[in-house]
Amino acid sequence: MKFCPKCGAELKDGQTFCSKCGSKVGSQDIDNNHKNDTTREIEIIQDGSSKFQDHNFKFGFRKKIISCVVLVLVILSIFLYIVGSNVTKPDVVVDKFKSAVTSNDKKELKSLLFCDDSELNINDENVSMLLKYFKKNPSNLNSIVANLNKQAAVASEIKNFQKDSSMAFNIERVGKKYLFFPKYKINMQPAFIEIKASTKGIKFILDNKEIGKSDSDSFKKKYGPFMPIGYTLLADYKGKYVSLSKAYDVNLDKASHEESIEALNDLKYISIDSDRPEAEIFVNNKDTGVKVAEANNFGPVGKNTQIYGVVQKDGAKLRSNNYNVSDDDRIYLDFGDAENKLNDVQDKVKNLAYWYTNAFTQAVNSNDISQIQSYVYPGSDLYNEQTKYIPSTYEKGIKEYLRNCNVVSVNVNDDNDSGTVITNEVYDIEDNSGNITTKSFNYKYAFKYNDSINSYQLTSIANAQ
């Protein structure tokens, strides 16, 4: 085959001009052209072979690099998967939870906990309370951790694992970690306290923090949410007549996560009656200023509150029987015993005054102090005065004769052991010449009870106004 040396077009045998470019071609050019073409083909073939060999070398090296990279990525992916699946297992979260509590790590503990109720903040204050609770109750911590471990074993196998609402702490899936792995945290159940009170004005203090106050005599309110742990609730009342405080243990880590407290249910209103409606009411030894006639709805007072009444009679204070408030809503203050006791004291003092005045005249007329010793308190002012008056009067030759002793009044002190008696005494007084004069005296004697002889005795004498 022949070709044009100018344009390379194919030539026919014997053709002297190129039909394409018109160039003149000879047999020698055609032969040379043919040789050149042959040489070029050989060169092309040799160059291609060289390039092909070079290309094969470069391709093989690149393939090895890519294979190595892919292998490394596969190995790294497997490694990361193993590590990721291990560090994101739910039991790892439980271990971290226990470790954070043991080491008192608030920051770590906050990162592990959450609550569905947005009002219960997982903050430093609440976490501190939780740590304090677990420190006091290590057995409760162990029980919670044991339950979480049981949940973790199930949660890793069941995708739609449901938490146990009866438990205060539950392991729960909350999303993804490292893009591919499930993320677990500990869900803390919110807890509540329902407080009932029958009295207005009771303060409610939960672990030294006031959470509310009853605003009616028929109060009911739910407080929360709180951490599902144990607390101490103090109900504190300071009223007009009584003050009362009581502490309640509140356990919010139980299945219901709620507890109901009836605060100070001992406080109540009562009705007071008496045979002496004018008597004033005393509560725990304090005068309330309220009379029995005004005490149809008295209170509030607490259980075991001591109540009694006081009334004046014949200058003496009568105290009724004591009444301790119990389950009854009505009480009756009886003054019968007090009146009987007062009458008894008054009768004894009247007799004391009568027999003393009779014995006194005998002592004066016989100069015998022993005649009055059973009626006069030893060492008293009256005794000392009479030990001087009796011998002095006797030496003057004066004699005294009692005509009448009238007890005007007897005033008994609240203790029923002392008081005063006022008398009007009429005497016939005979001087040493035998002249008799009748005289009347108003005296005020003081008296007190002598335990050694179980009797009342006179202690002093003064002119009565």
Side-chain angles (χ1 to χ4, degrees):
M1 182 177 293
K2 299 178 180 179
F3 299 91
C4 176
K6 295 290 185 181
C7 67
E10 186 179 350
L11 300 176
K12 296 180 180 180
D13 292 339
Q15 188 175 347
T16 58
F17 291 93
C18 177
S19 58
K20 185 175 181 181
C21 66
S23 298
K24 184 177 180 180
V25 294
S27 60
Q28 186 177 355
D29 292 332
I30 294 172
D31 292 339
N32 288 338
N33 187 32
H34 179 71
K35 290 178 181 179
N36 290 338
D37 288 343
T38 302
T39 303
R40 192 181 295 114
E41 287 179 1
I42 293 172
E43 290 177 352
I44 291 172
I45 292 172
Q46 290 176 344
D47 183 63
S49 175
S50 175
K51 288 181 179 181
F52 178 75
Q53 291 176 357
D54 183 58
H55 174 73
N56 281 345
F57 174 77
K58 290 181 179 180
F59 176 76
F61 180 72
R62 241 186 339 262
K63 186 175 181 182
K64 289 180 181 179
I65 292 176
I66 293 172
S67 298
C68 290
V69 170
V70 170
L71 181 60
V72 170
L73 289 175
V74 169
I75 294 173
L76 182 60
S77 297
I78 295 173
F79 174 76
L80 291 176
Y81 179 81
I82 295 172
V83 172
S85 61
N86 285 330
V87 299
T88 58
K89 284 183 176 180
D91 57 348
V92 175
V93 176
V94 178
D95 289 340
K96 288 182 178 180
F97 170 76
K98 184 177 181 180
S99 177
V101 172
T102 304
S103 62
N104 207 45
D105 191 340
K106 296 180 185 178
K107 185 177 180 180
E108 175 72 0
L109 196 55
K110 283 195 296 183
S111 70
L112 296 171
L113 297 173
F114 79 100
C115 180
D116 292 331
D117 193 326
S118 60
E119 293 186 14
L120 181 58
N121 296 318
I122 312 299
N123 52 28
D124 286 342
E125 180 182 359
N126 283 334
V127 169
S128 295
M129 292 173 63
L130 183 63
L131 289 170
K132 183 179 178 181
Y133 171 74
F134 283 141
K135 187 175 181 179
K136 289 184 176 180
N137 302 275
S139 60
N140 288 8
L141 172 62
N142 293 335
S143 176
I144 289 170
V145 170
N147 179 67
L148 288 173
N149 279 324
K150 290 180 182 178
Q151 293 185 13
V154 178
S156 60
E157 299 176 0
I158 302 174
K159 184 176 182 181
N160 296 321
F161 170 73
Q162 297 296 319
K163 67 180 181 181
D164 186 349
S165 59
S166 66
M167 298 297 175
F169 297 85
N170 289 276
I171 199 79
E172 189 170 333
R173 188 178 297 184
V174 294
K176 294 288 187 179
K177 191 171 185 179
Y178 308 133
L179 298 178
F180 306 104
F181 305 101
K183 182 179 180 180
Y184 294 93
K185 293 183 76 171
I186 296 174
N187 188 349
M188 188 170 54
Q189 295 283 75
F192 299 87
I193 306 173
E194 183 182 70
I195 302 178
K196 301 175 183 177
S198 59
T199 303
K200 181 180 180 180
I202 302 175
K203 288 183 180 180
F204 308 119
I205 303 167
L206 190 69
D207 279 7
N208 300 318
K209 183 177 181 180
E210 185 175 334
I211 62 173
K213 187 176 183 179
S214 60
D215 55 11
S216 70
D217 289 334
S218 183
F219 179 82
K220 180 179 178 181
K221 186 175 180 179
K222 182 181 286 188
Y223 292 94
F226 301 111
M227 305 282 283
I229 58 176
Y231 296 88
T232 298
L233 176 71
L234 179 68
D236 184 61
Y237 175 77
K238 290 180 174 59
K240 185 177 180 180
Y241 306 120
V242 296
S243 295
L244 190 63
S245 293
K246 187 174 182 180
Y248 300 86
D249 289 330
V250 181
N251 297 313
L252 299 180
D253 56 353
K254 55 187 181 181
S256 63
H257 313 301
E258 182 173 327
E259 187 156 353
S260 181
I261 300 293
E262 292 188 16
L264 299 182
N265 53 2
D266 291 344
L267 285 171
K268 61 180 179 178
Y269 290 88
I270 59 175
S271 179
I272 302 176
D273 198 4
S274 173
D275 54 343
R276 302 298 292 266
E278 73 276 19
E280 287 194 354
I281 298 171
F282 281 67
V283 174
N284 293 334
N285 297 317
K286 293 182 179 179
D287 189 355
T288 65
V290 178
K291 297 185 182 302
V292 170
E294 305 165 343
N296 289 328
N297 191 37
F298 184 83
V301 292
K303 193 173 183 180
N304 296 323
T305 299
Q306 186 186 72
I307 296 178
Y308 60 86
V310 172
V311 68
Q312 293 283 341
K313 180 185 178 183
D314 299 334
K317 286 183 178 180
L318 291 182
R319 175 171 166 167
S320 74
N321 61 311
N322 287 336
Y323 189 93
N324 288 327
V325 177
S326 58
D327 296 330
D328 296 332
D329 293 332
R330 300 182 65 87
I331 66 173
Y332 186 86
L333 302 180
D334 186 2
F335 287 87
D337 289 343
E339 290 190 271
N340 291 335
K341 189 171 185 178
L342 175 62
N343 292 335
D344 181 58
V345 173
Q346 288 176 334
D347 289 342
K348 288 179 179 179
V349 172
K350 287 177 182 179
N351 288 332
L352 171 65
Y354 175 79
W355 290 111
Y356 165 76
T357 53
N358 277 278
F360 170 73
T361 58
Q362 295 177 23
V364 169
N365 296 338
S366 62
N367 192 25
D368 185 4
I369 190 68
S370 66
Q371 295 289 333
I372 65 169
Q373 282 183 334
S374 61
Y375 307 110
V376 180
Y377 202 91
S380 65
D381 291 343
L382 179 61
Y383 182 84
N384 294 332
E385 288 178 15
Q386 299 302 37
T387 57
K388 295 177 182 179
Y389 178 83
I390 289 172
S392 174
T393 304
Y394 180 80
E395 288 177 2
K396 293 176 182 178
I398 298 173
K399 294 183 183 299
E400 298 185 8
Y401 304 96
L402 180 68
R403 295 187 66 179
N404 183 45
C405 177
N406 178 43
V407 176
V408 178
S409 65
V410 178
N411 294 317
V412 182
N413 293 334
D414 295 344
D415 58 8
N416 282 325
D417 287 339
S418 61
T420 60
V421 55
I422 296 176
T423 63
N424 174 252
E425 302 170 17
V426 181
Y427 291 90
D428 286 337
I429 301 175
E430 180 183 354
D431 61 19
N432 56 5
S433 300
N435 298 318
I436 298 176
T437 303
T438 301
K439 291 186 177 181
S440 177
F441 302 92
N442 292 323
Y443 289 122
K444 182 179 182 179
Y445 295 93
F447 66 88
K448 71 176 180 178
Y449 192 78
N450 189 336
D451 293 322
S452 63
I453 62 172
N454 296 320
S455 181
Y456 291 97
Q457 292 180 313
L458 300 176
T459 60
S460 67
I461 185 172
N463 291 322
Q465 298 297 327

Short mmCIF file of all heavy atoms in Angstrom, two decimals, residues 194-226:
data_model
loop_
_atom_site.label_atom_id
_atom_site.label_comp_id
_atom_site.label_asym_id
_atom_site.label_seq_id
_atom_site.Cartn_x
_atom_site.Cartn_y
_atom_site.Cartn_z
N GLU A 194 -49.07 15.53 98.91
CA GLU A 194 -50.39 16.13 99.12
C GLU A 194 -50.56 16.41 100.61
O GLU A 194 -50.45 15.51 101.43
CB GLU A 194 -51.49 15.20 98.63
CG GLU A 194 -52.88 15.82 98.75
CD GLU A 194 -53.98 14.87 98.31
OE1 GLU A 194 -54.22 13.88 99.04
OE2 GLU A 194 -54.58 15.11 97.26
N ILE A 195 -50.80 17.67 100.94
CA ILE A 195 -50.93 18.07 102.35
C ILE A 195 -52.36 18.51 102.63
O ILE A 195 -52.92 19.33 101.90
CB ILE A 195 -49.95 19.21 102.69
CG1 ILE A 195 -48.51 18.77 102.40
CG2 ILE A 195 -50.09 19.59 104.16
CD1 ILE A 195 -47.49 19.85 102.67
N LYS A 196 -52.91 17.94 103.70
CA LYS A 196 -54.25 18.33 104.16
C LYS A 196 -54.12 18.94 105.55
O LYS A 196 -53.30 18.49 106.37
CB LYS A 196 -55.17 17.12 104.22
CG LYS A 196 -55.35 16.39 102.89
CD LYS A 196 -56.20 15.14 103.07
CE LYS A 196 -56.32 14.35 101.78
NZ LYS A 196 -57.10 13.10 101.96
N ALA A 197 -54.92 19.96 105.83
CA ALA A 197 -54.90 20.60 107.14
C ALA A 197 -56.29 21.13 107.46
O ALA A 197 -56.98 21.65 106.57
CB ALA A 197 -53.88 21.72 107.19
N SER A 198 -56.69 21.00 108.71
CA SER A 198 -58.01 21.48 109.13
C SER A 198 -57.94 22.84 109.80
O SER A 198 -58.95 23.34 110.31
CB SER A 198 -58.64 20.48 110.11
OG SER A 198 -57.81 20.31 111.24
N THR A 199 -56.75 23.44 109.78
CA THR A 199 -56.56 24.73 110.45
C THR A 199 -55.79 25.69 109.55
O THR A 199 -54.81 25.30 108.92
CB THR A 199 -55.80 24.54 111.77
OG1 THR A 199 -56.51 23.63 112.60
CG2 THR A 199 -55.65 25.86 112.51
N LYS A 200 -56.22 26.90 109.52
CA LYS A 200 -55.56 27.95 108.75
C LYS A 200 -54.30 28.41 109.48
O LYS A 200 -54.26 28.48 110.70
CB LYS A 200 -56.51 29.13 108.57
CG LYS A 200 -55.95 30.28 107.77
CD LYS A 200 -56.99 31.39 107.67
CE LYS A 200 -56.46 32.58 106.88
NZ LYS A 200 -57.48 33.66 106.77
N GLY A 201 -53.26 28.72 108.70
CA GLY A 201 -52.05 29.31 109.27
C GLY A 201 -50.95 28.35 109.62
O GLY A 201 -50.02 28.72 110.35
N ILE A 202 -51.00 27.11 109.12
CA ILE A 202 -49.93 26.14 109.38
C ILE A 202 -48.86 26.28 108.30
O ILE A 202 -49.15 26.20 107.11
CB ILE A 202 -50.46 24.70 109.41
CG1 ILE A 202 -51.56 24.56 110.47
CG2 ILE A 202 -49.33 23.72 109.69
CD1 ILE A 202 -52.22 23.19 110.47
N LYS A 203 -47.61 26.45 108.71
CA LYS A 203 -46.50 26.51 107.78
C LYS A 203 -45.99 25.10 107.49
O LYS A 203 -45.91 24.27 108.40
CB LYS A 203 -45.35 27.35 108.33
CG LYS A 203 -45.62 28.84 108.37
CD LYS A 203 -44.39 29.58 108.88
CE LYS A 203 -44.63 31.07 108.93
NZ LYS A 203 -43.43 31.79 109.44
N PHE A 204 -45.60 24.87 106.23
CA PHE A 204 -45.07 23.56 105.83
C PHE A 204 -43.62 23.76 105.40
O PHE A 204 -43.33 24.51 104.46
CB PHE A 204 -45.89 22.97 104.69
CG PHE A 204 -47.36 22.94 104.99
CD1 PHE A 204 -48.26 23.63 104.20
CD2 PHE A 204 -47.85 22.24 106.08
CE1 PHE A 204 -49.61 23.62 104.47
CE2 PHE A 204 -49.20 22.22 106.37
CZ PHE A 204 -50.09 22.92 105.56
N ILE A 205 -42.71 23.10 106.11
CA ILE A 205 -41.27 23.27 105.88
C ILE A 205 -40.68 21.91 105.52
O ILE A 205 -40.71 20.98 106.33
CB ILE A 205 -40.59 23.85 107.13
CG1 ILE A 205 -41.25 25.18 107.51
CG2 ILE A 205 -39.10 24.03 106.91
CD1 ILE A 205 -40.88 25.69 108.88
N LEU A 206 -40.15 21.81 104.30
CA LEU A 206 -39.59 20.55 103.81
C LEU A 206 -38.07 20.66 103.82
O LEU A 206 -37.48 21.44 103.09
CB LEU A 206 -40.09 20.26 102.39
CG LEU A 206 -39.77 18.86 101.85
CD1 LEU A 206 -40.58 17.80 102.61
CD2 LEU A 206 -40.08 18.77 100.36
N ASP A 207 -37.45 19.85 104.69
CA ASP A 207 -35.99 19.89 104.84
C ASP A 207 -35.48 21.32 104.96
O ASP A 207 -34.63 21.77 104.18
CB ASP A 207 -35.32 19.16 103.67
CG ASP A 207 -35.30 17.67 103.86
OD1 ASP A 207 -35.92 17.18 104.81
OD2 ASP A 207 -34.66 16.96 103.05
N ASN A 208 -36.03 22.04 105.93
CA ASN A 208 -35.61 23.41 106.29
C ASN A 208 -35.95 24.46 105.24
O ASN A 208 -35.47 25.59 105.33
CB ASN A 208 -34.10 23.45 106.58
CG ASN A 208 -33.70 22.53 107.72
OD1 ASN A 208 -34.39 22.48 108.73
ND2 ASN A 208 -32.62 21.80 107.54
N LYS A 209 -36.81 24.12 104.28
CA LYS A 209 -37.21 25.09 103.25
C LYS A 209 -38.74 25.17 103.22
O LYS A 209 -39.41 24.18 102.99
CB LYS A 209 -36.68 24.67 101.88
CG LYS A 209 -36.99 25.68 100.78
CD LYS A 209 -36.38 25.23 99.46
CE LYS A 209 -36.66 26.23 98.36
NZ LYS A 209 -36.07 25.81 97.06
N GLU A 210 -39.28 26.38 103.48
CA GLU A 210 -40.73 26.54 103.51
C GLU A 210 -41.31 26.38 102.10
O GLU A 210 -40.86 27.03 101.16
CB GLU A 210 -41.11 27.92 104.07
CG GLU A 210 -42.60 28.10 104.25
CD GLU A 210 -42.99 29.41 104.92
OE1 GLU A 210 -42.15 29.96 105.67
OE2 GLU A 210 -44.11 29.90 104.69
N ILE A 211 -42.32 25.52 102.00
CA ILE A 211 -42.92 25.26 100.69
C ILE A 211 -44.35 25.77 100.60
O ILE A 211 -44.93 25.82 99.51
CB ILE A 211 -42.89 23.77 100.34
CG1 ILE A 211 -43.68 22.95 101.36
CG2 ILE A 211 -41.46 23.27 100.23
CD1 ILE A 211 -43.84 21.48 100.99
N GLY A 212 -44.95 26.17 101.74
CA GLY A 212 -46.32 26.65 101.67
C GLY A 212 -46.92 26.89 103.04
O GLY A 212 -46.27 26.69 104.08
N LYS A 213 -48.19 27.31 103.03
CA LYS A 213 -48.92 27.61 104.27
C LYS A 213 -50.40 27.41 104.03
O LYS A 213 -50.93 27.80 102.99
CB LYS A 213 -48.62 29.05 104.69
CG LYS A 213 -49.17 29.45 106.04
CD LYS A 213 -48.73 30.87 106.37
CE LYS A 213 -49.20 31.29 107.75
NZ LYS A 213 -48.75 32.67 108.07
N SER A 214 -51.08 26.78 104.99
CA SER A 214 -52.52 26.57 104.83
C SER A 214 -53.25 27.90 104.91
O SER A 214 -53.00 28.70 105.80
CB SER A 214 -53.03 25.61 105.91
OG SER A 214 -52.80 26.13 107.21
N ASP A 215 -54.15 28.12 103.94
CA ASP A 215 -54.86 29.40 103.89
C ASP A 215 -56.34 29.27 104.21
O ASP A 215 -57.12 30.19 103.99
CB ASP A 215 -54.67 30.05 102.51
CG ASP A 215 -55.10 29.13 101.37
OD1 ASP A 215 -55.71 28.09 101.65
OD2 ASP A 215 -54.80 29.46 100.20
N SER A 216 -56.74 28.12 104.74
CA SER A 216 -58.14 27.92 105.13
C SER A 216 -58.22 26.83 106.18
O SER A 216 -57.24 26.11 106.44
CB SER A 216 -59.00 27.55 103.92
OG SER A 216 -58.68 26.25 103.46
N ASP A 217 -59.40 26.68 106.80
CA ASP A 217 -59.60 25.64 107.80
C ASP A 217 -59.99 24.30 107.17
O ASP A 217 -60.28 23.34 107.87
CB ASP A 217 -60.68 26.06 108.80
CG ASP A 217 -60.20 27.18 109.72
OD1 ASP A 217 -58.98 27.27 109.93
OD2 ASP A 217 -61.04 27.95 110.21
N SER A 218 -60.01 24.27 105.86
CA SER A 218 -60.25 23.02 105.14
C SER A 218 -59.29 23.00 103.95
O SER A 218 -59.68 23.15 102.80
CB SER A 218 -61.71 22.93 104.68
OG SER A 218 -61.94 21.70 104.05
N PHE A 219 -58.01 22.82 104.27
CA PHE A 219 -56.93 23.01 103.30
C PHE A 219 -56.49 21.69 102.68
O PHE A 219 -56.38 20.68 103.36
CB PHE A 219 -55.75 23.69 103.98
CG PHE A 219 -54.57 23.93 103.09
CD1 PHE A 219 -54.53 25.02 102.24
CD2 PHE A 219 -53.50 23.04 103.09
CE1 PHE A 219 -53.44 25.24 101.43
CE2 PHE A 219 -52.40 23.26 102.27
CZ PHE A 219 -52.38 24.36 101.44
N LYS A 220 -56.23 21.74 101.37
CA LYS A 220 -55.72 20.57 100.66
C LYS A 220 -54.97 21.07 99.42
O LYS A 220 -55.52 21.81 98.61
CB LYS A 220 -56.85 19.64 100.25
CG LYS A 220 -56.39 18.40 99.49
CD LYS A 220 -57.59 17.52 99.14
CE LYS A 220 -57.18 16.31 98.34
NZ LYS A 220 -58.35 15.47 97.97
N LYS A 221 -53.71 20.64 99.29
CA LYS A 221 -52.91 21.08 98.14
C LYS A 221 -51.79 20.08 97.87
O LYS A 221 -51.23 19.48 98.79
CB LYS A 221 -52.31 22.46 98.40
CG LYS A 221 -51.58 23.05 97.21
CD LYS A 221 -51.11 24.48 97.47
CE LYS A 221 -50.38 25.06 96.27
NZ LYS A 221 -49.95 26.45 96.51
N LYS A 222 -51.48 19.92 96.57
CA LYS A 222 -50.38 19.03 96.17
C LYS A 222 -49.16 19.89 95.85
O LYS A 222 -49.22 20.85 95.09
CB LYS A 222 -50.77 18.21 94.94
CG LYS A 222 -49.68 17.22 94.51
CD LYS A 222 -50.09 16.44 93.27
CE LYS A 222 -51.14 15.41 93.59
NZ LYS A 222 -51.41 14.52 92.43
N TYR A 223 -48.03 19.52 96.45
CA TYR A 223 -46.77 20.24 96.24
C TYR A 223 -45.79 19.34 95.48
O TYR A 223 -45.76 18.14 95.67
CB TYR A 223 -46.15 20.63 97.58
CG TYR A 223 -46.93 21.69 98.34
CD1 TYR A 223 -47.87 21.32 99.29
CD2 TYR A 223 -46.73 23.04 98.10
CE1 TYR A 223 -48.59 22.28 100.00
CE2 TYR A 223 -47.44 24.01 98.80
CZ TYR A 223 -48.37 23.62 99.74
OH TYR A 223 -49.08 24.57 100.44
N GLY A 224 -44.98 19.97 94.64
CA GLY A 224 -43.97 19.25 93.88
C GLY A 224 -43.71 19.90 92.55
O GLY A 224 -44.24 20.99 92.27
N PRO A 225 -42.94 19.29 91.67
CA PRO A 225 -42.30 17.97 91.88
C PRO A 225 -41.05 18.07 92.76
O PRO A 225 -40.39 19.10 92.80
CB PRO A 225 -41.94 17.54 90.46
CG PRO A 225 -41.69 18.84 89.74
CD PRO A 225 -42.66 19.83 90.31
N PHE A 226 -40.75 16.96 93.41
CA PHE A 226 -39.56 16.84 94.24
C PHE A 226 -38.76 15.62 93.79
O PHE A 226 -39.25 14.77 93.05
CB PHE A 226 -39.94 16.66 95.71
CG PHE A 226 -40.76 17.79 96.27
CD1 PHE A 226 -42.09 17.58 96.60
CD2 PHE A 226 -40.21 19.04 96.46
CE1 PHE A 226 -42.86 18.61 97.13
CE2 PHE A 226 -40.97 20.08 96.98
CZ PHE A 226 -42.30 19.87 97.31
#
